Amino acid sequence: MRYKSIIVFLMITLPVFSQKIKTVEGEYMYHAPDNVTIEQAKRTAVERAKIQALATEFGTIVSQSSTTSIANINGESSTNVLTLSDTDVKGQWIEDLGEPRVQVNYEGDMLVVTAKVKGKAREILSAGVDFTSKILRNGKEDKFESDDFKNGDDLYLAFQTPAKGYLAVYLVDAENRAYCLLPYRNMDDIYQVNANKRYLFFSQEEAPAEEQPLVDEYALTCERQMEYNYIYVIFSRNQFTKANDAASNKQIDGYDGAPRELSYEDFQKWLGKCMKHDAEMNMKKIPITIKK
């Protein structure tokens, strides 16, 4: 009889940890400045379409703010209004449903990109843990924070959280492959972090002595003239399991093997499942550019 009571208790409490996931859609038309490439414009339009979808479904955290840019095309003014940022909305994008639909046009000399997106998202019910994550280029201090890399540059991550928890870091490249940067290749479990401590990842020199043999160091490379990657920093106060990845056959100059990898589609499914069942999980998606 006691076992039955325990089972009933678990059945009652387990749904508390699952959060309702909704399907959302959004559209955004981006008028790109002269110094923005087509690929940059596409990426911006897609990200803003996602933000617009979240705002439509879940609303905004604060009163709506906006910034306005005005361009002159053939003597006529064109106004582009960005009304929201990803910190203004009360929802969080979890995964794409299909590829974003992107259309490129020109109005006079101005590049105009329209993006339509559809995906799964969840409402932000609480502020969550406000952790700090900084992508560093060729240096280990915060002053080296950058999103603009050159082929062969060293990558570091500075991280700090006000609450004890668990951390994973992934990189998604231009070929839609997801690479597990943390936990390191020879670690069995997710990485545990303590509160109020600055961590510097991907540096053997800065790691604790017992951890140094496990640390992977990374240099970013690109095969094209310019590539756009994303770094996902995933944190939760609850323990979770990393994605089901596999050893990579890819070789990188000056580095004895690439991180473990999986497809972007499988990575999204894993992340969506984790976030659906863990309201404490928070994720920051950081875009970076790598140039020859």
Side-chain angles (χ1 to χ4, degrees), residues 95 168-183 185 190 230 232 234 240-250 258-274:
E95 64 176 302
V169 181
Y170 286 82
L171 180 145
V172 175
D173 69 4
E175 305 299 325
N176 273 340
R177 300 296 298 175
Y179 295 89
C180 180
L181 305 186
L182 190 77
R185 286 181 299 163
I190 210 75
Y230 287 96
Y232 290 73
I234 303 160
F240 59 98
T241 304
K242 72 179 181 68
N244 187 17
D245 49 30
S248 173
N249 294 322
K250 186 176 181 180
R260 295 176 64 85
E261 66 171 277
L262 68 160
S263 70
Y264 178 59
E265 181 181 1
D266 288 340
F267 169 70
Q268 278 205 322
K269 289 179 180 178
W270 166 80
L271 182 58
K273 183 177 179 180
C274 287

Side-chain angles (χ1 to χ4, degrees), residues 114-133:
T114 302
K116 296 181 180 180
V117 297
K118 183 177 182 180
K120 293 183 179 180
R122 70 177 184 183
E123 186 177 8
I124 296 176
L125 300 175
S126 61
V129 176
D130 187 20
F131 63 82
T132 300
S133 55

Side-chain angles (χ1 to χ4, degrees), residues 187-215:
M187 285 184 169
D188 295 327
D189 298 319
I190 210 75
Y191 199 96
Q192 186 171 356
V193 291
N194 293 316
N196 306 316
K197 175 183 176 180
R198 183 184 187 268
Y199 288 85
L200 183 73
F201 293 108
F202 319 141
S203 169
Q204 292 182 353
E205 182 182 12
E206 298 295 330
E210 67 278 8
E211 191 178 299
Q212 288 179 358
L214 302 173
V215 172

